[in-house]
C-alpha cells in the first residue's frame, strides 16, 4: 500500500511544515470550541500513543508522517484546551477586591483612563484595571486599590460585529477579569518587575519624553510612533487623517524594522568586532527592540524570524524565508495558542 512506502521525495523541511501546520490547525480548532477545555488530558494520551506508533513503524515513511500529523493535530487541540482551562476562574473570583497588585505590562494611556494589566497574586491570572488618567503608573509598580472584579463581556462594535473581548484580553494579556475605575488607588512600591524589561521601558520613556519636549503635537505623537510604534497618543483627527492619506502603515513596526536592526547590530558589528560579538549583539538587539516596541504579534513574529536568521548563520545554514515563517508560526502558537483565533496571520 502507498502508506507503507518509503517516499524519498518528501524533504525534511516539507515534513516540518506539515507538522507545524497540523499543530496550528489543532490549536485553532481548540480556540474555537470550549469542549477541549475539559478533554485535553485524554487528547494528550492519544497523541502520545500515535507518536509511539509512528516510531514503531518508522521504516514506513509515509505511515510515520500520517501518524505524526494526526498526533500533532491532537497536541494542538490538547495544548489549546489546557491553555484555556487554566484561565477559567471560579465564580468566587469575581467579587469585591481590596489589596495590592503589580503592574506586569506597560500601561496604555486612553482618552479617559489608563489601562493597567495587574497581577493580584502569584496564583491568580491577571486582571485589567481601568484607573484614572493621573497619576501615571509604570511597569513594575505595585499599586493598592479597591474595586469589584467583573467578568469580561463581549460587545457590539460600531459596524454591528460582536467583538470577543474576553478572548482578546486572554490572548493578549492573559487577563480574566476587569476592574472599572477602582477607588483609593495609590502607589505602594516601585521596581517589582523584571530588571531588564524595566530598564528597557525606562529608556523608552526617556526617548518619548525627549520627543514630546522637542516637538509640538501632533508631530511629537508621530515621532513617538515612528520610533517605538503604535498610535496610542494620536488624536482622533490625526488618526483619521493618516487613514485618509494611506500613511498609517508608517508607524506599524514590522519585519522591515527588524531587518534594519539586524543589519546594524550583526553585519556592521561583525566587520569591527568579529563574528561572535556580532551574533550576541544581534540577539540582544532583537530582544530589546521587541520589548521596546510593545511586543505586538507582528513584531514578535518578525523578531522570531530574525532570531532564526541569526541561528541559521550560527549553524552555517542558508536562511529560507518560507521555512522560517512556518517555524515562527509554530513558536508563536506554542507560546500562546489563542493567537490563531484573533490574529489575521493564522
Amino acid at each position: 500500500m502507498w502508506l507503507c512506502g518509503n517516499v524519498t521525495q518528501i524533504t525534511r523541511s516539507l515534513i516540518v511544515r506539515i507538522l507545524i501546520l497540523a499543530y496550528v490547525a489543532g490549536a485553532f480548532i481548540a480556540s474555537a470550541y470550549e469542549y477541549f477545555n475539559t478533554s485535553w488530558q485524554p487528547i494528550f494520551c492519544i497523541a502520545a500513543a500515535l507518536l509511539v506508533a509512528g516510531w514503531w513503524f518508522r521504516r514506513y515513511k509515509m505511515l510515520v508522517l500520517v501518524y505524526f500529523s494526526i498526533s500533532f493535530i491532537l497536541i494542538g487541540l490538547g495544548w489549546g484546551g489546557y491553555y484555556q482551562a487554566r484561565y477559567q476562574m471560579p465564580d468566587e473570583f469575581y467579587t469585591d477586591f481590596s489589596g495590592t497588585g503589580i503592574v506586569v505590562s506597560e500601561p496604555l494611556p486612553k482618552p479617559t483612563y489608563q489601562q493597567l494589566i495587574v497581577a493580584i497574586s502569584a496564583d491568580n491570572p491577571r486582571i485589567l484595571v481601568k484607573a484614572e488618567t493621573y497619576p501615571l503608573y509604570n511597569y513594575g509598580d505595585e499599586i493598592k486599590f479597591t474595586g469589584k472584579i467583573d467578568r469580561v463581556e463581549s460587545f457590539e462594535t460600531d459596524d454591528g460585529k460582536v467583538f470577543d473581548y474576553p478572548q482578546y484580553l486572554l490572548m493578549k494579556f492573559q487577563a480574566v477579569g476587569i476592574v472599572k475605575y477602582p477607588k483609593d488607588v495609590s502607589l505602594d512600591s516601585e521596581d517589582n518587575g523584571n530588571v531588564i524589561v524595566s530598564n528597557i521601558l525606562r529608556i523608552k520613556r526617556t526617548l518619548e519624553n525627549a520627543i514630546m519636549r522637542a516637538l509640538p503635537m501632533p508631530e511629537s505623537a508621530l515621532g513617538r510612533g515612528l520610533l517605538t510604534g503604535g498610535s496610542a497618543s494620536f488624536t482622533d483627527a490625526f488618526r483619521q487623517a493618516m487613514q485618509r492619506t494611506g500613511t498609517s502603515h508608517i508607524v506599524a513596526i514590522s519585519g522591515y524594522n527588524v531587518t534594519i536592526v539586524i543589519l546594524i547590530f550583526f553585519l556592521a558589528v561583525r566587520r569591527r568586532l568579529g563574528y561572535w560579538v556580532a551574533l550576541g549583539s544581534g540577539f540582544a538587539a532583537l530582544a530589546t527592540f521587541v520589548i521596546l516596541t510593545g511586543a505586538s504579534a507582528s513584531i514578535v513574529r518578525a523578531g522570531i524570524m530574525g532570531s532564526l536568521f541569526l541561528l541559521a548563520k550560527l549553524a552555517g545554514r542558508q536562511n529560507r524565508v518560507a521555512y522560517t515563517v512556518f517555524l515562527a508560526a509554530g513558536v508563536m502558537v506554542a507560546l500562546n495558542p489563542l493567537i490563531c483565533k484573533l490574529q489575521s496571520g493564522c
Side-chain angles (χ1 to χ4, degrees), residues 228-249:
T228 59
S231 57
S233 58
F234 289 2
T235 63
D236 291 338
F238 187 66
R239 186 180 289 106
Q240 292 174 4
M242 294 193 70
Q243 291 174 352
R244 287 195 302 268
T245 56
T247 54
S248 300
H249 64 280

Side-chain angles (χ1 to χ4, degrees), residues 252-259 261-262 286-287 289-290 293 295-310 324-325 328-329 332:
I253 305 296
S254 62
Y256 175 75
N257 306 83
V258 169
T259 302
V261 172
I262 293 177
L286 278 177
F289 185 72
V290 169
T293 53
S296 63
S298 60
I299 191 60
V300 169
R301 180 178 65 246
I304 293 173
M305 293 183 65
S307 300
L308 292 173
F309 166 78
L310 294 176
T324 54
V325 166
M332 292 184 69

